[in-house]
Amino acid sequence: MQQKQIFSLQGRVAAVAADHGHHFSKPTQERIILVEGHGVEGDAHAGPFVRHRYLARPGPACPISGRFT
């Protein structure tokens, strides 16, 4: 008989980051605003479609999965 595993996800936020441009790293911010269906307000990767350059080239209208809602 297979036993059911129960996982407890706990953690803490060490830092948040956002940037208006597509740069290698993003500067940390004191706070960010999460917008439902959009992502981090003011961030270059925010929006309803993939914003990562390597993913956007083959499918610029590809919806983002796993977005905070």
Side-chain angles (χ1 to χ4, degrees):
M1 178 183 255
Q2 190 176 22
Q3 289 187 351
K4 185 176 184 178
Q5 293 182 342
I6 299 173
F7 295 98
S8 175
L9 299 177
Q10 296 180 7
R12 67 180 185 90
V13 176
V16 292
D19 195 352
H20 292 286
H22 290 273
H23 301 106
F24 182 73
S25 60
K26 297 176 182 222
T28 57
Q29 306 292 324
E30 187 175 312
R31 69 185 123 215
I32 59 171
I33 297 173
L34 296 177
V35 180
E36 184 176 345
H38 184 76
V40 177
E41 182 178 277
D43 189 71
H45 293 105
F49 302 109
V50 170
R51 302 287 186 182
H52 293 280
R53 289 179 179 174
Y54 73 97
L55 293 172
R57 280 189 195 106
C62 180
I64 294 176
S65 60
R67 176 67 70 191
F68 295 105
T69 57

